[in-house]
Amino acid sequence: MARLISVDKQITEKRVYPKNETFSLEEMYKYTNSRIVEFIYINGHIMVIDEEGKLNNKKVNDVATYYFRKYIKTQDFIVGDVLICEKSEIK
């Protein structure tokens, strides 16, 4: 089961499901509101982010940044909407 972590303060996290057994590239684009996605491997999960989010001045995603910093010791941050899913949900 995957979670969409939105920068929208009204709906921070919600569960999402792939149309089939795994998320298609188009679904990942849709959920992250991006054209190019990047994978970050965290604690047995995959965080799917907008690779160009910082270049496009997207808002900082505080919740996703918290998870990111919890497992990856860094001061970097995550922007835009983020999809967090199990490895088995991506081919």
Side-chain angles (χ1 to χ4, degrees):
M1 169 188 49
R3 291 178 292 152
L4 178 64
I5 302 176
S6 174
V7 294
D8 180 2
K9 298 301 180 190
Q10 300 296 323
I11 306 169
T12 304
E13 288 188 45
K14 72 177 185 178
R15 294 177 186 196
V16 294
Y17 304 90
K19 288 183 182 176
N20 297 311
E21 291 181 21
T22 58
F23 285 98
S24 68
L25 192 54
E26 290 77 21
E27 287 175 296
M28 288 185 269
Y29 291 154
K30 181 184 104 180
Y31 284 123
T32 59
N33 194 25
S34 66
R35 296 178 303 146
I36 302 172
V37 293
E38 178 180 351
F39 298 156
I40 301 172
Y41 297 89
I42 297 178
N43 197 35
H45 293 84
I46 297 175
M47 182 180 280
V48 183
I49 66 170
D50 180 355
E51 185 173 331
E52 297 179 327
K54 291 177 184 172
L55 294 173
N56 293 323
N57 296 316
K58 287 193 173 182
K59 292 181 183 178
V60 173
N61 187 322
D62 294 324
V63 175
T65 297
Y66 168 78
Y67 290 128
F68 179 64
R69 289 179 177 175
K70 182 176 178 180
Y71 296 105
I72 308 293
K73 302 301 181 199
T74 182
Q75 290 302 308
D76 201 2
F77 56 94
I78 303 294
V79 299
D81 295 338
V82 173
L83 179 67
I84 296 181
C85 53
E86 303 286 334
K87 290 180 180 180
S88 63
E89 292 178 303
I90 294 180
K91 277 189 176 179

